[in-house]
Amino acid sequence: MEHMISSPPSHGFRRRALWLSYDGGRFFGWQKQADGVATVQAALEEALSRMAGEPVSVVAAGRTDTGVHATAQVVHFDSRADRPDQAWVRGVNTHLPEGVAVWQVQSVPDAFHARFDACGRRYRYVLQSAPVRSPLLVGRAGWTHYRLDLEAMRQAAALLVGEQDFSCFRAAQCQAKSPVKTLYRATLGGTPSLITLDLHGNAFLHHMVRNIMGALVYVGSGRLSVAGFAELLAARSRLQAPPTFMPDGLYLTGVDYPPEWGVATPPVPEWLFQVAST
């Protein structure tokens, strides 16, 4: 976790935390861009500004790439506008485009920072394994035509848990100060045809989840052994790792904060492919 003293809101402003969900396939990532392309941050700030009657900027728990979804992204924002929490939810949603919605707003202490106070992040990757990709899952789940050995994939995923150097799953453009992160949980569920990978860690490197998914698909399809997966981790080299997997099935499902902030982590929504484990 990165530590930084956050700037409290200016006099007359109140700080609020906001939760939102979005379809990453409709936007060019989270972060606002200078050329005015459609991003989640730009859409949210415009909607909040219209609701507040003043310019509003937001800080997110983490940025997501193009095609990556979120069921529980967390942001904070400051505003002088005095509105009930549910009024913020309803009002902002009337100004948001399709593909993004706010579902909770709450007041938080002035020192709360959505990014720097986060102590954990949770992701789910949904993967379809089938000879033909379902057109109904395009953009909602990753896909491979290989038949996958779930038990081998589970054995490899278990090797990810703990504090270690994840350089082999780090994108070249990653700006994190250190490749050492801690994974609390790496769980594969679902069925041989619809697999879910849940990862919970203190922080993640750029493309880390997609790179892990790509390596696990290699294990499941027999192109990489469990022992080879362990060697890949130990080598700490991205050059020896399988390619980055598609973003379609990746969802940010939760952000953890210390209890003193009063900001709870929601459960993974029931609609997100809650298939029974085999």
Side-chain angles (χ1 to χ4, degrees), residues 35-191:
D35 52 8
V37 299
T39 68
V40 183
Q41 181 183 7
L44 179 60
E45 289 185 345
E46 180 179 355
L48 280 167
S49 297
R50 294 178 67 179
M51 177 66 178
E54 63 185 7
V56 175
S57 60
V58 301
V59 175
R63 295 174 293 187
T64 52
D65 292 331
T66 301
V68 176
H69 315 295
T71 65
Q73 174 71 278
V74 180
V75 308
H76 79 252
F77 69 97
D78 301 330
S79 175
R80 288 174 295 197
D82 185 13
R83 307 277 192 275
D85 294 344
Q86 280 304 306
W88 281 107
V89 173
R90 293 191 299 269
V92 172
N93 283 335
T94 62
H95 299 301
L96 284 171
E98 289 187 358
V100 56
V102 171
W103 50 269
Q104 183 174 325
V105 174
Q106 73 177 62
S107 295
V108 290
D110 289 348
F112 173 79
H113 195 285
R115 178 184 175 192
F116 294 115
D117 287 321
C119 58
R121 291 169 176 82
R122 301 165 188 257
Y123 289 92
R124 169 169 288 184
Y125 196 101
V126 180
L127 174 69
Q128 182 194 20
S129 170
V132 177
R133 188 178 191 183
S134 169
L136 301 179
L137 293 179
V138 173
R140 299 286 182 269
W143 171 72
T144 179
H145 66 276
Y146 289 101
R147 291 178 61 89
L148 300 177
D149 181 344
L150 278 183
E151 182 53 37
M153 294 173 71
R154 288 191 179 105
Q155 291 176 24
L159 301 174
L160 298 167
V161 177
E163 182 182 80
Q164 52 192 312
D165 186 322
F166 286 101
S167 292
C168 63
F169 299 129
R170 180 180 190 174
Q173 63 270 40
C174 181
Q175 298 178 0
K177 295 179 180 178
S178 170
V180 177
K181 306 297 175 188
T182 301
L183 280 190
Y184 308 124
R185 184 168 66 98
T187 306
L188 267 106
T191 69

Side-chain angles (χ1 to χ4, degrees), residues 67 69 71 123-129 133 136-144 148 153 187-199 209-210 213 217 245-253 268-275:
H69 315 295
T71 65
Y123 289 92
R124 169 169 288 184
Y125 196 101
V126 180
L127 174 69
Q128 182 194 20
S129 170
R133 188 178 191 183
L136 301 179
L137 293 179
V138 173
R140 299 286 182 269
W143 171 72
T144 179
L148 300 177
M153 294 173 71
T187 306
L188 267 106
T191 69
S193 62
L194 189 62
I195 299 163
T196 57
L197 171 67
D198 286 294
L199 298 176
V209 180
R210 291 169 58 189
M213 190 74 252
V217 168
F245 213 64
M246 63 185 70
D248 302 43
L250 181 55
Y251 298 78
L252 172 64
T253 59
V268 178
E270 294 181 356
W271 55 261
L272 187 56
F273 302 98
Q274 298 279 27
V275 287

